[in-house]
Amino acid sequence: MPLLGVNIDHVATVRQARMTNEPDPVHAAVLAEMGGADGITVHLREDRRHIQDRDLELLRQTIRVGLNLEMAVTDEMTGIALKTVPEQVTLVPEKRAELTTEGGLDVIRQRDRVAVCANRLQDVGIRVSLFIDPDESQIEASASLGVDAIEIHTGNFADATTAKAQAIEFERVVTSGHQAVKNGLRLNMGHGLTYRNVQKISQIPDLQELNIGHSIVSHALLVGFERAVREMKDLITPSS
């Protein structure tokens, strides 16, 4: 069964709406652990719209599960990652105006920059994952760089409005996952996954990790963070 990484960015989004000190994403991370999270994911954006540098520092000191830092391929972010040393860094594309990450990293066009960044991170023992679309050429490019993992962007699957469209997108994800594993890459997936669609994705062979944020945070507003994480964990854990 895949591990569950809980993205707590949008706890910080609520806090930043009032520029105050609550709700505290570090507190949410502790509750996520209590609910069964296998890892905590945060995206430290260049514009610091939600997660702040201090959040990252406190998470590194506090959580007992793995820390996955999503970040853009920049010198500033690389320096922060080298100082923090999370268990995993996921390199993602980043646009200032986007509401959320809109698609996968173009590894082919940014090959040299990605390679330099990934090598620096791996040299200090950080596992490097690339957030990419379910595309054969991007998977091949990722594998050729010697990174540890990819995270397949599941947004098109999640956003499909018909059964036929969802089936097509699901097949793309499955095929890409098989290709990634064949190339020796650890297989992670995420983006747009909810309590309604996660089970289908969670049953994909060789899937190692799911990273889910918005749906869990939204549900937590109604039922509490620990319970929201536990309910998601139960959905991706096969019944005995």
Side-chain angles (χ1 to χ4, degrees), residues 169-217:
E169 294 300 332
F170 181 72
E171 185 58 32
R172 287 183 64 204
V173 170
V174 171
T175 300
S176 298
H178 177 73
Q179 181 189 0
V181 173
K182 187 177 178 181
N183 277 277
L185 293 164
R186 174 188 171 96
L187 179 61
N188 304 332
M189 294 187 184
H191 199 81
L193 297 176
T194 71
Y195 295 85
R196 295 179 299 279
N197 62 25
V198 72
Q199 284 185 302
K200 190 174 180 69
I201 291 290
S202 70
Q203 294 167 9
I204 293 175
D206 300 309
L207 177 59
Q208 297 295 310
E209 177 183 307
L210 288 168
N211 285 300
I212 305 173
H214 185 265
S215 186
I216 291 175
V217 174

Side-chain angles (χ1 to χ4, degrees), residues 42-44 56 67-71 77 80-81 86 88-90:
V42 291
H43 184 173
L44 184 65
L56 184 61
L67 177 61
N68 173 37
L69 172 62
E70 295 182 342
M71 64 177 226
M77 291 299 158
I80 290 172
Q88 178 171 276
V89 161
T90 301

Side-chain angles (χ1 to χ4, degrees), residues 35-100:
D38 301 293
I40 300 297
T41 294
V42 291
H43 184 173
L44 184 65
R45 284 182 172 266
E46 293 179 271
D47 63 8
R48 307 302 198 269
R49 70 175 66 170
H50 38 58
I51 294 296
Q52 305 296 301
D53 297 67
R54 185 172 181 273
D55 297 327
L56 184 61
E57 294 169 7
L58 290 174
L59 286 167
R60 179 71 291 180
Q61 299 167 19
T62 304
I63 64 173
R64 287 180 273 182
V65 294
L67 177 61
N68 173 37
L69 172 62
E70 295 182 342
M71 64 177 226
V73 188
T74 67
D75 290 339
E76 179 199 18
M77 291 299 158
T78 302
I80 290 172
L82 291 173
K83 178 182 177 182
T84 309
V85 194
E87 280 72 24
Q88 178 171 276
V89 161
T90 301
L91 300 178
V92 301
E94 188 172 313
K95 299 176 185 176
R96 290 295 176 93
E98 66 187 359
L99 291 176
T100 185

